Amino acid sequence: MKLSKEMRAFQVRIGHDFAQPELLVRALTHPSVSSPNRQDNQRLEFLGDRVLGLVMATALLDHDKTASEGQLAPRFNALVRKEACADVAREIDLGSVLKLGRSEMMSGGRRKLALLGDGMEAVIAAVYKDAGFEVAQAMILRLWGARIHQVEDDARDAKTALQEFAQARRQSPPAYVEVARSGPDHQPIFTIAVRLDDGHEERASAGSKRLAEQAAAKALLARLEQKT
């Protein structure tokens, strides 16, 4: 199989030339454009998630030989979650080579966090199947780069940290409420308010409810920390 100019350029960006280029094509094929003769990337995504997890778990153990499981787990989660995969995907412009159906293209699929994260995991699996674990590991470590060494000692996501803050003070879990929605249907902006029993509240907006909730929780934590 001969790759397009765009696909060859993408190979350069990830630092791997495929011996089996069909694996790369499959990794970048979203279910919206799959057919009986064209496999999508969902199975590769499943595998890539596991390969990424093993690489990151090993890297974290090697980087900090004294860290406890309680310290390592949140760092691991910060490095493998969908947001991290999507960030790396944006840096290598993975969205530009995604193969999408018309509806996904019209709805801004090349910029969607979930599609970028899934595509990144699928590419990892494609490299693993094409050249083995060590090559996939080297690519992951190169693309994730300083993230591995700079991940915060306490890398719990903001929602988890805020819930633990509330529990420590015998409050109910934080309440997240959608207070506004704007923008077109294919690219909405959600505004979420997070509230605690003691009346503290913050709001944040983002392109998904999940990201807006995280941003609101982070803002409220920052405000509470200023008071302590």
Side-chain angles (χ1 to χ4, degrees), residues 90-106:
R90 292 187 190 97
E91 290 179 359
I92 58 176
D93 196 18
L94 184 149
S96 68
V97 288
L98 276 177
K99 293 181 176 296
L100 303 173
R102 179 176 174 79
S103 62
E104 280 293 349
M105 285 194 291
M106 295 294 289

Side-chain angles (χ1 to χ4, degrees), residues 87-153:
D87 283 343
V88 174
R90 292 187 190 97
E91 290 179 359
I92 58 176
D93 196 18
L94 184 149
S96 68
V97 288
L98 276 177
K99 293 181 176 296
L100 303 173
R102 179 176 174 79
S103 62
E104 280 293 349
M105 285 194 291
M106 295 294 289
S107 64
R110 298 188 189 281
R111 300 186 302 274
K112 290 182 179 177
L113 182 150
L115 270 65
L116 291 172
D118 291 349
M120 189 68 245
E121 291 173 345
V123 167
I124 288 170
V127 173
Y128 167 74
K129 288 177 71 68
D130 189 63
F133 178 76
E134 290 185 359
V135 173
Q137 181 182 40
M139 182 192 72
I140 292 167
L141 295 177
R142 184 172 62 254
L143 295 180
W144 261 251
R147 289 177 177 84
I148 299 168
H149 306 297
Q150 294 175 356
V151 67
E152 298 176 12
D153 285 351

Side-chain angles (χ1 to χ4, degrees), residues 56-217:
M56 286 305 165
T58 303
L60 288 171
L61 286 171
D62 291 344
H63 178 63
D64 189 343
K65 300 184 184 303
T66 63
S68 66
E69 188 277 339
Q71 291 173 307
L72 291 169
R75 300 179 198 176
F76 174 84
N77 291 335
L79 291 168
V80 303
R81 60 192 178 200
K82 199 70 71 177
E83 289 86 350
C85 292
D87 283 343
V88 174
R90 292 187 190 97
E91 290 179 359
I92 58 176
D93 196 18
L94 184 149
S96 68
V97 288
L98 276 177
K99 293 181 176 296
L100 303 173
R102 179 176 174 79
S103 62
E104 280 293 349
M105 285 194 291
M106 295 294 289
S107 64
R110 298 188 189 281
R111 300 186 302 274
K112 290 182 179 177
L113 182 150
L115 270 65
L116 291 172
D118 291 349
M120 189 68 245
E121 291 173 345
V123 167
I124 288 170
V127 173
Y128 167 74
K129 288 177 71 68
D130 189 63
F133 178 76
E134 290 185 359
V135 173
Q137 181 182 40
M139 182 192 72
I140 292 167
L141 295 177
R142 184 172 62 254
L143 295 180
W144 261 251
R147 289 177 177 84
I148 299 168
H149 306 297
Q150 294 175 356
V151 67
E152 298 176 12
D153 285 351
D154 183 3
R156 293 169 299 175
D157 65 85
K159 288 183 67 176
T160 299
L162 184 60
Q163 180 166 329
E164 292 179 357
F165 177 93
Q167 289 175 339
R169 289 156 181 79
R170 299 183 183 279
Q171 297 187 44
S172 303
Y176 295 87
V177 180
E178 181 183 330
V179 295
R181 177 173 176 170
S182 60
D185 289 341
H186 69 274
Q187 202 170 358
I189 298 296
F190 300 93
T191 299
I192 300 291
V194 58
R195 298 164 182 162
L196 296 179
D197 287 349
D198 60 12
H200 286 104
E201 176 181 326
E202 281 292 343
R203 299 184 178 195
S205 300
S208 74
K209 290 183 180 180
R210 179 183 177 186
L211 289 178
E213 288 175 354
Q214 287 285 356

